[in-house]
Amino acid sequence: NNNDVMNINELKQSIFETVISNGVESSKPNILGNNPMEDRVYTKILNVNSNYNGIEVACVSVTTDTPSFDTITDNDTVRINVKNRDGVWCNMFINEAPKDMLEFIHNKIHSH
């Protein structure tokens, strides 16, 4: 059924909206800010914790400098936190991920 197949932009938007809606929120000092003790960054994280083709996908997250998250409209701000085959942690942005990886993540975060 082709109606069930999402294009890559729909996948990115759906993952973004799910992180914004359901992600666990946290904040920490913004070490890149002008005043690190007062400036904060706010993050929403959704755990994935699944193996994708030998790569451990830990979570997807969005970070902003406003606690309301309303300044983020661009789904390219979503980061995918992975541990590669060498066990090294790295972040990739959602627009760097292949479509089948986005489908994998989408299915994982919508399955519970």
Side-chain angles (χ1 to χ4, degrees):
N1 184 349
N2 282 342
N3 293 339
D4 295 338
V5 177
M6 300 173 81
N7 72 37
I8 195 160
N9 291 326
E10 291 168 331
L11 283 165
K12 291 191 323 188
Q13 191 62 30
S14 177
I15 291 168
F16 170 76
E17 289 171 359
T18 304
V19 173
I20 292 293
S21 301
N22 303 332
V24 176
E25 192 173 326
S26 65
S27 73
K28 64 183 180 188
N30 181 1
I31 56 171
L32 301 176
N34 294 332
N35 195 337
M37 298 316 289
E38 292 174 26
D39 297 343
R40 299 187 75 73
V41 290
Y42 303 87
T43 302
K44 287 194 177 189
I45 294 176
L46 262 186
N47 286 331
V48 179
N49 294 330
S50 294
N51 193 296
Y52 165 79
N53 293 347
I55 299 167
E56 184 181 332
V57 180
C59 59
V60 284
S61 65
V62 173
T63 298
T64 181
D65 56 1
T66 57
S68 62
F69 287 84
D70 60 2
T71 55
I72 310 178
T73 55
D74 185 356
N75 59 38
D76 285 345
T77 60
V78 176
R79 286 188 320 249
I80 303 167
N81 192 280
V82 300
K83 191 187 281 187
N84 67 18
R85 289 179 176 88
D86 299 323
V88 177
W89 285 102
C90 54
N91 282 317
M92 60 190 293
F93 282 96
I94 196 169
N95 56 351
E96 300 170 323
K99 184 179 180 196
D100 61 332
M101 184 180 200
L102 297 179
E103 288 170 337
F104 172 83
I105 291 168
H106 182 270
N107 293 337
K108 287 292 177 189
I109 64 176
H110 288 90
S111 64
H112 43 72

